[in-house]
Amino acid sequence: DAMVIQNPRYQVTQFGKPVTLSCSQTLNHNVMYWYQQKSSQAPKLLFHYYDKDFNNEADTPDNFQSRRPNTSFCFLDIRSPGLGDAAMYLCATSRETDYEQYFGPGTRLTVT
Amino acid sequence: GDSVTQMEGPVTLSEEAFLTINCTYTATGYPSLFWYVQYPGEGLQLLLKATKADDKGSNKGFEATYRKETTSFHLEKGSVQVSDSAVYFCALSVGSNTGKLIFGQGTTLQVKP
């Protein structure tokens, strides 16, 4: 019973070639989050949506964008991936911002 | 600013040994505290949580108590299994308006048969 689904699980893109990662949820949660996790590091929040309200972290590079067309789906767009953007990207959801976050399995992005 | 500090790993134990992973935090206000576990190649799973001082979170034999006086939330388990091998993250939630989780750096646990 997958609740937070991320596709694809593994993504390879070329340096500078735009890439989109997707996340969907069956929990009907209001809030969706995108985290970046580099090897052997803690996840770092990039941004989150509270319903359709977009909230960007101050240190998230402009290269990273996001879309949430409806409650169930959220996309992470990387406009011009650099080698430093290679990481695991984790999507999470919660009912409200102070509730438990449910994580997807992540998409591992490789930049060649 | 708000932060979480965990003991460095890897922690290597034999099966049935006692586990402690230390976690301390710095925060303004009254954060909620969490332990997440990440198995190889997977996302994070919530292991346990505590939302106020002196609360004890517990799940699957793991426990942690929210200690405001020492700003700590140490994870313990009386008898670890090989299947507990994973990376454990301590985290705090900074407030209801952001939902932002601040994670510690993670502690790798290796349990040997």
Side-chain angles (χ1 to χ4, degrees):
Chain A
D1 295 343
M3 296 184 290
V4 183
I5 304 155
Q6 291 189 244
N7 286 308
R9 293 291 308 275
Y10 301 91
Q11 175 74 57
V12 180
T13 191
Q14 294 177 340
F15 182 94
K17 185 175 181 180
V19 65
T20 295
L21 310 181
S22 72
C23 176
S24 62
Q25 53 135 334
T26 60
L27 297 164
N28 203 33
H29 283 173
N30 290 5
V31 193
M32 295 188 77
Y33 308 82
W34 279 105
Y35 290 85
Q36 179 191 63
Q37 185 182 23
K38 295 190 176 180
S39 182
S40 302
Q41 296 184 21
K44 178 178 176 299
L45 183 65
L46 295 173
F47 25 62
H48 75 276
Y49 277 93
Y50 190 120
D51 293 324
K52 284 194 171 292
D53 291 334
F54 177 72
N55 299 272
N56 199 34
E57 291 300 299
D59 56 356
T60 297
D62 292 341
N63 199 25
F64 291 85
Q65 305 287 321
S66 185
R67 296 169 283 135
R68 190 180 185 186
N70 54 52
T71 299
S72 301
F73 285 86
C74 195
F75 300 97
L76 170 63
D77 300 309
I78 308 176
R79 293 191 298 187
S80 182
L83 297 178
D85 297 328
M88 175 79 86
Y89 290 88
L90 298 168
C91 175
T93 74
S94 67
R95 282 179 289 168
E96 299 290 335
T97 53
D98 57 350
Y99 279 53
E100 174 183 338
Q101 293 186 22
Y102 292 77
F103 283 80
T107 294
R108 183 166 296 283
L109 178 68
T110 301
V111 181
T112 61
Chain B
D2 299 326
S3 65
V4 176
T5 302
Q6 290 180 235
M7 64 187 287
E8 287 193 22
V11 174
T12 302
L13 296 173
S14 298
E15 209 164 20
E16 299 184 3
F18 185 87
L19 168 71
T20 300
I21 300 178
N22 290 338
C23 171
T24 57
Y25 68 89
T26 302
T28 54
Y30 303 96
S32 295
L33 301 174
F34 306 84
W35 277 101
Y36 280 86
V37 58
Q38 186 174 34
Y39 298 101
E42 297 186 12
L44 277 70
Q45 300 174 27
L46 179 67
L47 183 59
L48 53 84
K49 65 180 179 182
T51 57
K52 61 182 186 297
D54 299 326
D55 270 2
K56 177 185 282 188
S58 61
N59 186 26
K60 300 180 181 178
F62 291 89
E63 293 183 340
T65 301
Y66 189 146
R67 300 285 189 200
K68 188 169 182 293
E69 63 277 12
T70 55
T71 62
S72 65
F73 193 55
H74 304 321
L75 182 68
E76 297 181 335
K77 186 176 185 182
S79 176
V80 294
Q81 306 300 312
V82 172
S83 57
D84 293 327
S85 299
V87 181
Y88 292 81
F89 290 95
C90 185
L92 66 83
S93 175
V94 295
S96 59
N97 291 329
T98 70
K100 181 175 180 177
L101 285 175
I102 293 178
F103 289 89
Q105 68 269 39
T107 302
T108 299
L109 171 65
Q110 298 173 341
V111 181
K112 297 186 175 180

